Amino acid sequence: MTMRRTGLLDLHEADATQLALVGGKGAQLGALSRIDGIRVPDGFCVTTDAFRRVVARVPSLDERLDRLSRTDSDDREALRTLSADIRRAVEETAIPGDLAAEITGALARLGEGTAVAVRSSATAEDLPAASFAGQQDTYLNVVGPAEVLRHVSRCWASLFTERAVAYRRRNGIDHRTVQMAVVVQRMVFPEAAGVLFTADPLTGNRRTATVDAGFGLGEALVSGLVNPDVFTVRDGVVVARTIAAKQRAVHALPGGGTREVEVDPQRRERPALTDAQVLRLVELGRRIEAHFGRPQDIEWCLADDGFRIVQSRPITTVYPIPAAGDQERHIYVSVGHQQMMTDAMKPLGLSLWQRTAMVPMHEAGGRLFVDVTPRLASPASRAALLDLVGRGDPLVRDALETVLDRDDPVPPLPDPGPAGGPAEPPAEADPAIVPELVERSRASVAALERDLRAKRGPALFDFLLEAFEEHKRVLGDPLNMRAITAGMEATWWLNDQLAQWLGEKNAADTLTLSAPGNITSEMGLDLLDVADVIRPHPEVVAYLKSVEKGVADVGFLEELAKLPGGAEAREAIDAYLDRYGMRCAGEIDITRPRWRERPTTLVPLILDNVTNFGPGAAAHRFAQGRAKARQKEQDVLSRLRALPDGDRRAEAAKRMIDQVRAFAGYREYPKYGIVSRSSLYKQALLAEAGRLVRADVLSEKEDIFYLTFDELHDVVRSQQADDRLIRQRKEEFRSYEALTPPRVLTSDGEALTGAYRREDVPAGALAGLAVSTGTVEGRARVVLELADADLGAGDILVTRFTDPSWSPLFVGVAGLVTEVGGLMTHGAVIAREYGLPAVVGVEGATRLIRDGQRIRVHGTDGYVELLP
């Protein structure tokens, strides 16, 4: 029945390679029909070729679509009117005679007078990135050629329902790029119907399947007419069931169409399926899931004691699982929540981070995870892990404990016994190692830059493999690790002991103000100095204000230099970029554009500094912070000496304060070294990409971002690239961007974010982690992208996460609230450096706090109040 000329294709001939011809539903049903043991009702597809023939006849369609695209998304009435106009025009356009004859002939082959289902199948439907569920129309129990032809036209028109138009706009899909096929299938008159989820759609657990079932056609469930019976199956056993009182059902009428009917009172509370039927259905679902390689949302019918599958689409909301290569249980912790960058990363960025990381990292959903199962294998290592993650991010600890409490794979922790006396201060480190480590890192980066200049082609990749090992050697140097931990251990000791001795929370926050050598806080202060150079030159300020955010950076600095005072301004910006130009938002992904590549990113930050600060602000702020830290030190030591055994306590505290002051700043330097090296890797790889473009191997340089390091190495060796793979990776990346990564993920697919179990948070307040002391009240500015920041004096920055690139914003705000973060993540460290009250790890902060709303940030106690 393959009649491409007029646009029909037998359903069993359709597959994923013909998505553009038969749409998502048609391709999925065709693939389902070829799975052993899966029964799909017979039928055919009216292809997108036919759709294009018909819509080409619709009067003024291009003009109508142009108007639809230009209409404001908020103008619901205009969208409704335009959508209805297009639908009406499509339905009124006659189907060509040869196509109508083909459809009529295909119906006759199904059987004269056979009732059918006529179902929309758009090319952007039932896809991994977006299911588009329910966006187009389906018509059941259609009888007779004339009615089938009418309903085919109605399916085509349903591409322009108001809900479908809104869905496409929300997902950034051009109306013209979506085509509509129509599936026509033999109608099934079921005893029961419903939906099967092969994974728990709420938790993501792949071992749990859920079956919703009701009497008659599945429309009763989909439309919400009745509550379904719900069966939960885990590991081949029905572990829970809820049997609803099913008062109504939808049945087919003899002459076509459907109607609601009353269910016999004696049957209302009878299960729609037996347990044996539920298990059989789940077994079929597992077969389908295995074929498509991911959890499925399956629509089914039960007729004549056999199941028919009428639809299967991916469950797009469950988070992917890292590939483990075994059947063992694994527990993973998110890397992005530690690195303060939970956005999806492109394949090249993922693979380079994996190659340079100190521990194995596993990819899932465009993010990286660490398998902590080995650390949970014994009580001792588990206790150390929980303590470490708990200090950094209590939500990670809670999520891990939730998993362990429910299904603990290791022995319980031993009873710690009675609490002992005051903890001994940690071993002290020699502050002289800090300048030595900084110099080592600078020398290593300089050597890398020098050596990369002479490398190209396969030799470049051989050299980079060696450079990655040097990268890890520098980072893993025991002296480096000691310097990183020295400040952290001293901070924790001070907070714990001063809370016990003086009843003061987070006293170390003030003691770390203006700690020397913090490369990230210096980055914010240095941009204040850039503003000092620019402020006296009104023409430079006016030019910067005229620079549109996101404008192409080519020639920006050259034009700036032509203005009065522009040469000095350019020199100041260039000097800033020489030191910090390798940084950017989301900098752990080397595919993100660096400030040196896109210097206009800094323009709004510079202008804010010009407006909100006066000359010398950087030096004043640093001196002010240092004075507060000295005063705090004197106060703490004086109060300790007044206590019993005070001299010993004060002496121990003084040693730890000196350690904090000596090492707190260095905490940020290793990341600076990593990003400096990564920027050089990127420059070398982009230069290689340029050569590949000139050789017509790649279409554009940025295509390399969608290949792993090893894949790119192969492309350079072979001078051949797989365009199909690159396109597929781009589609996958877009789908990953829509996912929210969990803090903890299990190999069963369960995604956990953790919870604060606290009783000290006022009703209505948002709980989080206290990372920088103080209380501040002000206007909340919810900022999702650094380039969109528009902050005034006294504003409180509310965002998902901050990495070092956000530090220049910190000098101009009064407080900080983030959804992601821990005690020692960069946002927390810099908030303490600048003395900003800060609460991090506030789940849903950017959603629950309105932009412009007044809030009060309790940085000492770890919560945020929403004010009237």
Side-chain angles (χ1 to χ4, degrees):
M1 196 189 294
T2 306
M3 300 293 291
R4 289 290 304 281
R5 184 177 65 83
T6 51
L8 260 62
L9 186 71
D10 189 275
L11 185 61
H12 296 290
E13 296 176 16
D15 60 32
T17 65
Q18 296 165 311
L19 177 68
L21 187 66
V22 299
K25 187 182 282 103
Q28 199 84 344
L29 287 168
L32 281 166
S33 70
R34 290 190 294 279
I35 302 174
D36 185 40
I38 303 302
R39 298 169 67 185
V40 174
D42 294 337
F44 58 90
C45 289
V46 183
T47 69
T48 55
D49 288 346
F51 171 76
R52 281 189 291 272
R53 286 183 64 195
V54 172
V55 296
R57 301 180 174 201
V58 176
S60 307
L61 181 62
D62 282 340
E63 179 187 333
R64 287 166 160 151
L65 289 176
D66 284 339
R67 292 210 313 272
L68 190 63
S69 297
R70 290 194 302 267
T71 303
D72 191 321
S73 298
D74 295 329
D75 191 345
R76 297 289 299 278
E77 186 57 37
L79 287 175
R80 184 178 299 115
T81 301
L82 281 169
S83 299
D85 179 53
I86 295 171
R87 286 198 309 278
R88 186 166 52 252
V90 173
E91 287 188 41
E92 290 173 354
T93 300
I95 296 176
D98 58 341
L99 178 58
E102 285 294 329
I103 294 173
T104 301
L107 287 170
R109 285 188 286 277
L110 287 178
E112 202 69 40
T114 297
V116 295
V118 182
R119 314 175 67 193
S120 302
S121 180
T123 53
E125 185 177 4
D126 296 343
L127 304 179
S131 73
F132 281 70
Q135 298 310 309
Q136 282 85 43
D137 290 343
T138 285
Y139 302 97
L140 301 178
N141 198 32
V142 181
V143 180
E147 282 299 291
V148 170
L149 291 172
R150 186 170 72 86
H151 284 85
V152 166
S153 291
R154 293 183 69 186
C155 282
W156 287 332
S158 75
L159 190 63
F160 301 102
T161 60
E162 184 185 356
R163 64 182 182 273
V165 167
Y167 193 93
R168 286 196 294 275
R169 289 179 72 115
R170 192 162 57 247
N171 285 274
I173 296 171
D174 188 333
H175 301 303
R176 286 182 174 83
T177 64
V178 183
Q179 307 290 317
M180 178 69 83
V182 179
V183 173
V184 179
Q185 283 179 284
R186 188 188 302 275
M187 185 68 192
V188 177
F189 302 99
E191 304 151 29
V195 180
L196 160 64
F197 294 98
T198 64
D200 188 317
L202 298 179
T203 69
N205 195 315
R206 292 349 186 235
R207 291 169 62 189
T208 300
T210 302
V211 175
D212 289 3
F215 294 129
L217 293 167
E219 294 303 294
L221 304 187
V222 174
S223 65
L225 180 65
V226 298
N227 291 324
D229 296 342
V230 181
F231 301 87
T232 303
V233 177
R234 185 178 175 88
D235 299 333
V237 177
V238 177
V239 295
R241 64 181 65 74
T242 302
I243 307 304
K246 299 172 284 296
Q247 297 183 348
R248 302 185 69 78
V250 174
H251 283 195
L253 293 170
T258 62
R259 70 173 179 183
E260 296 176 17
V261 298
E262 294 280 344
V263 175
D264 185 329
Q266 295 182 337
R267 298 182 63 218
R268 287 177 181 174
E269 297 190 20
R270 186 184 304 169
L273 295 177
T274 66
D275 281 6
Q277 288 171 329
V278 168
L279 295 178
R280 170 62 179 152
L281 177 60
V282 170
E283 181 188 333
L284 295 175
R286 294 295 181 211
R287 240 183 252 187
I288 295 170
E289 178 184 64
H291 178 83
F292 291 116
R294 60 185 301 170
Q296 297 288 302
D297 165 359
I298 299 168
E299 294 181 21
W300 56 269
C301 299
L302 176 66
D304 304 322
D305 202 33
F307 287 102
R308 311 296 198 279
I309 304 301
V310 295
Q311 192 158 328
S312 183
R313 62 172 69 92
I315 305 176
T316 57
T317 55
V318 296
Y319 201 85
I321 307 172
D326 59 40
Q327 298 301 312
E328 301 299 318
R329 187 161 183 250
H330 297 271
I331 302 173
Y332 303 95
V333 169
S334 165
V335 173
H337 285 82
Q338 302 165 52
Q339 291 296 330
M340 300 297 284
M341 211 292 278
T342 57
D343 289 346
M345 295 170 65
K346 297 183 179 75
L348 186 62
L350 288 166
S351 63
L352 258 71
W353 194 261
Q354 287 172 304
R355 279 194 169 273
T356 54
M358 301 305 294
V359 296
M361 292 185 177
H362 307 269
E363 185 274 333
R367 280 83 170 182
L368 292 171
F369 295 84
V370 173
D371 186 354
V372 297
T373 316
R375 296 283 300 274
L376 299 171
S378 73
S381 61
R382 183 176 63 167
L385 173 67
L386 293 176
D387 181 63
L388 180 65
V389 300
R391 285 185 179 276
D393 184 344
L395 292 176
V396 175
R397 176 170 187 148
D398 180 79
L400 285 173
E401 288 179 333
T402 298
V403 176
L404 296 172
D405 288 347
R406 186 179 57 244
D407 192 9
D408 196 342
V410 296
L413 290 169
D415 186 342
E424 286 299 314
E428 295 167 54
D430 182 0
I433 67 175
V434 170
E436 179 185 343
L437 285 167
V438 169
E439 185 51 41
R440 283 190 197 178
S441 179
R442 286 175 179 165
S444 178
V445 171
L448 174 65
E449 184 173 19
R450 181 186 65 245
D451 293 342
L452 278 171
R453 292 191 191 113
K455 308 297 181 185
R456 60 182 296 173
L460 168 64
F461 289 82
D462 294 338
F463 173 76
L464 284 174
L465 290 173
E466 297 174 7
F468 298 158
E469 294 306 312
E470 168 68 4
H471 182 126
K472 291 192 284 188
R473 188 199 65 75
V474 170
L475 192 60
D477 184 336
L479 206 60
N480 180 54
M481 302 308 295
R482 183 71 193 104
I484 292 172
T485 58
M488 294 167 62
E489 290 172 349
T491 297
W492 293 338
W493 186 90
L494 282 168
N495 279 336
D496 289 346
Q497 296 307 126
L498 295 181
Q500 181 181 330
W501 291 339
L502 301 177
E504 186 169 347
K505 293 181 179 179
N506 303 325
D509 291 359
T510 306
L511 295 168
T512 59
L513 289 171
S514 297
N518 188 314
I519 190 73
T520 305
S521 64
E522 288 171 2
M523 182 166 64
L525 297 175
D526 286 351
L527 202 61
L528 287 174
D529 290 338
V530 173
D532 285 353
V533 175
I534 289 170
R535 191 179 293 106
H537 304 290
E539 291 187 56
V540 171
V541 173
Y543 173 69
L544 293 181
K545 288 180 178 178
S546 73
V547 172
E548 184 179 352
K549 290 181 182 179
V551 75
D553 292 275
V554 177
F556 159 63
L557 292 175
E558 287 77 4
E559 290 300 313
L560 177 65
K562 297 175 184 177
L563 301 170
E568 295 94 324
R570 175 175 180 170
E571 183 179 353
I573 293 173
D574 271 333
Y576 188 85
L577 291 172
D578 286 344
R579 192 175 190 202
Y580 305 113
M582 78 293 291
R583 311 219 81 148
C584 68
E587 62 192 9
I588 69 170
D589 181 356
I590 71 156
T591 71
R592 294 287 189 100
R594 310 285 126 178
W595 286 346
R596 172 55 81 180
E597 300 169 48
R598 195 171 290 173
T600 51
T601 304
L602 296 173
V603 169
L605 308 179
I606 294 171
L607 288 173
D608 281 348
N609 288 346
V610 168
T611 302
N612 297 331
F613 296 93
H620 174 72
R621 287 176 66 94
F622 188 81
Q624 190 178 48
R626 185 170 53 193
K628 286 181 180 178
R630 286 174 176 168
Q631 179 59 46
K632 185 68 174 180
E633 177 181 339
Q634 293 171 8
D635 174 64
V636 164
L637 296 179
S638 173
R639 290 163 63 195
L640 287 176
R641 290 190 185 102
L643 298 175
D645 198 21
D647 288 343
R648 184 186 65 81
R649 298 184 187 192
E651 180 186 353
K654 171 61 175 168
R655 294 201 311 272
M656 290 300 99
I657 291 171
D658 290 345
Q659 287 278 285
V660 166
R661 299 292 299 173
F663 290 100
Y666 183 74
R667 168 72 178 80
E668 293 292 296
Y669 201 87
K671 182 70 172 291
Y672 178 78
I674 290 172
V675 176
S676 298
R677 296 180 69 89
S678 296
S679 181
L680 294 174
Y681 304 151
K682 180 181 183 180
Q683 292 172 36
L685 292 172
L686 279 177
E688 196 62 36
R691 288 187 278 273
L692 292 170
V693 170
R694 290 191 292 275
D696 291 327
V697 176
L698 294 176
S699 299
E700 55 187 19
K701 291 197 299 184
E702 288 73 17
D703 282 349
I704 69 170
F705 297 160
Y706 298 93
L707 299 172
T708 66
F709 179 81
D710 289 340
E711 289 167 347
L712 180 55
H713 192 178
D714 288 340
V715 169
V716 170
R717 276 193 297 240
S718 67
Q719 291 293 292
Q720 293 182 330
D722 185 344
D723 291 338
R724 183 190 56 78
L725 175 64
I726 292 170
R727 287 196 302 272
Q728 176 188 328
R729 292 280 176 74
K730 288 179 179 179
E731 291 172 6
E732 288 175 350
F733 178 72
R734 283 193 290 271
S735 72
Y736 294 155
E737 285 184 298
L739 297 174
T740 300
R743 283 178 167 83
V744 171
L745 180 66
T746 73
S747 52
D748 293 338
E750 188 171 8
L752 300 99
T753 57
Y756 294 105
R757 307 186 190 279
R758 296 169 52 182
E759 298 178 357
D760 61 337
V761 177
L766 307 179
L769 178 62
V771 296
S772 186
T773 56
T775 301
V776 65
E777 181 179 321
R779 179 180 66 162
R781 297 313 307 264
V782 179
V783 180
L784 301 182
E785 299 291 341
L786 181 62
D788 297 333
D790 182 15
L791 301 166
D795 283 348
I796 297 169
L797 174 61
V798 180
T799 188
R800 292 176 298 162
F801 53 79
T802 64
D803 60 13
S805 70
W806 289 68
S807 299
L809 280 184
F810 286 19
V811 299
V813 298
L816 173 68
V817 179
T818 69
E819 293 180 342
V820 177
L823 275 171
M824 300 311 295
T825 48
H826 304 282
V829 171
I830 305 307
R832 291 193 290 271
E833 282 282 319
Y834 289 162
L836 299 177
V839 180
V840 302
V842 180
E843 194 69 23
T846 60
R847 176 175 48 83
L848 299 171
I849 299 173
R850 300 189 316 275
D851 185 49
Q853 181 177 16
R854 290 197 67 78
I855 62 174
R856 186 178 296 123
V857 177
H858 293 263
T860 305
D861 297 310
Y863 63 89
V864 179
E865 285 185 278
L866 309 180
L867 304 178

